[in-house]
Amino acid sequence: MQRALANWKRLIPFGKRSRLNSMDGFQKVLVFFLFVLAVFMLLPLVFIFNHALKPYQELFVYPPNFFVREPSFQNFTELFLVASSSTIPVTRYLFNSLIISGGAVVCVTIVSALCAYPISKHKFPGHQIVFGTILLTLMFAPETVQIPRYLVVSNLGIMNTYFGHILPIVAMPVGVFLLKQFIDQLPNELLEAARIDGAGEFFIFLRIVIPVVMPAVATVAILTFQGSWGNTETSTLFMQDDEMKNFPFFLSTLTNNLANSVARQGAAAAAALVMFVPNLLIFLFFQGKVIATMAHSGIK
């Protein structure tokens, strides 16, 4: 253990090394095990990048290799060849996914914030029943509401439209709950002082409430993007025209209806990396806000 800690110290910059020297023995051991745990949690990320670069002879080798031995881009070449042979260009699917994910992030964050603010700070009659009903929806599995969603989208006449992709995921109970808990921490005296100064509710909401709860807004945006980016339900149920379907639906068809389970597995490995990278980038961009959300979630 002492040798492992000594080797680990060499990897730490000098400024943080002095902070490490000020720790007692238990804290050093705890930090070391947290470092090992962090490395262990990074293994799935390393695997998905290595898996996308494996040639076919390494994809099906037994026992499987964790690290690629002969990296190759042939899986990406196969993916682009499959995409070029389809009747709808792959850029159309990517464009649809970007529009859908961006629209979903904007709509969900706005609707969740507008719902959470009056429930938290305007104690209208029945606000607890409304909030309890929102929490109750968390108990329903997505499969139980597929038929009602289809009837709503069909009766609204938004089949084969971008709004048909976005509307079914606008109601996000987790987003409302998270934002409501954050807004509860705002002192009522601050809002009353703004009203005395002549500020309207819309001004208070935009200039006081939203900036304070921005970490929670960023977390809701990440969760919404992850849910909409990998969602194939709306393309399967509500879209009959192929040009209105999204990129995850196209990738899900790569290995469907094939004569064997070997064909296009390289393209599927490359497609998994393509689907994963945007989620990783969005999380890295907003990870500071997510950490702030976790830090403030237990403060009253």
Side-chain angles (χ1 to χ4, degrees):
M1 178 65 70
Q2 295 295 330
R3 182 180 299 177
L5 287 173
N7 294 332
W8 179 55
K9 286 181 181 180
R10 298 194 189 102
L11 302 175
I12 302 176
F14 178 77
K16 294 185 178 180
R17 194 182 305 172
S18 59
R19 186 185 304 173
L20 181 64
N21 292 331
S22 63
M23 299 180 180
D24 56 27
F26 174 76
Q27 290 176 330
K28 291 180 180 179
V29 173
L30 181 61
V31 171
F32 172 74
F33 279 109
L34 290 176
F35 175 78
V36 174
L37 180 62
V39 173
F40 179 76
M41 295 180 67
L42 285 175
L43 292 180
L45 306 184
V46 177
F47 175 79
I48 194 171
F49 279 94
N50 280 268
H51 192 65
L53 297 175
K54 289 179 181 178
Y56 266 87
Q57 60 269 22
E58 293 189 39
L59 285 174
F60 299 97
V61 68
Y62 185 83
N65 298 325
F66 188 85
F67 295 100
V68 58
R69 297 181 179 178
E70 299 178 2
S72 172
F73 289 96
Q74 70 178 32
N75 294 336
F76 295 93
T77 304
E78 181 183 1
L79 176 61
F80 287 121
L81 289 176
V82 174
S84 62
S85 63
S86 62
T87 57
I88 306 298
V90 68
T91 53
R92 175 68 183 187
Y93 295 112
L94 283 172
F95 176 78
N96 291 342
S97 292
L98 292 175
I99 294 296
I100 294 165
S101 299
V105 168
V106 173
C107 293
V108 170
T109 51
I110 292 176
V111 171
S112 299
L114 290 175
C115 181
Y117 175 61
I119 293 177
S120 175
K121 294 304 180 181
H122 296 271
K123 307 300 183 182
F124 56 89
H127 71 279
Q128 293 183 346
I129 297 177
V130 173
F131 185 61
T133 304
I134 294 174
L135 295 182
L136 185 64
T137 59
L138 294 172
M139 301 177 58
F140 293 94
E143 293 78 11
T144 61
V145 295
Q146 284 184 351
I147 295 177
R149 279 181 178 176
Y150 180 85
L151 294 176
V152 170
V153 172
S154 177
N155 291 330
L156 289 177
I158 56 175
M159 306 283 280
N160 293 315
T161 63
Y162 290 120
F163 198 56
H165 283 282
I166 298 173
L167 182 63
I169 58 178
V170 165
M172 187 178 179
V174 175
V176 176
F177 173 78
L178 185 61
L179 288 170
K180 191 260 182 187
Q181 297 302 108
F182 247 71
I183 296 174
D184 284 345
Q185 300 175 22
L186 284 174
N188 294 326
E189 293 77 9
L190 177 63
L191 304 183
E192 290 297 332
R195 294 189 181 98
I196 292 174
D197 290 339
E201 290 297 330
F202 191 70
F203 181 89
I204 294 173
F205 176 74
L206 286 182
R207 302 299 296 272
I208 298 177
V209 176
I210 293 299
V212 174
V213 301
M214 189 55 68
V217 172
T219 304
V220 173
I222 292 175
L223 296 176
T224 305
F225 181 85
Q226 291 177 343
S228 60
W229 178 255
N231 184 26
T232 60
E233 176 185 343
T234 54
S235 295
T236 304
L237 298 179
F238 312 136
M239 305 296 140
Q240 285 78 38
D241 298 336
D242 288 340
E243 61 268 17
M244 289 304 302
K245 296 181 179 180
N246 58 7
F247 190 64
F249 177 84
F250 167 73
L251 297 183
S252 67
T253 62
L254 288 176
T255 57
N256 291 345
N257 301 323
L258 296 180
N260 55 72
S261 60
V262 177
R264 295 184 181 177
Q265 289 300 321
L273 180 60
V274 173
M275 285 295 302
F276 171 74
V277 168
N279 286 323
L280 178 62
L281 295 178
I282 290 295
F283 180 80
L284 292 178
F285 186 75
F286 290 108
Q287 58 90 20
K289 299 294 184 180
V290 176
I291 294 175
T293 302
M294 296 178 182
H296 289 282
S297 60
I299 299 177
K300 288 292 184 182

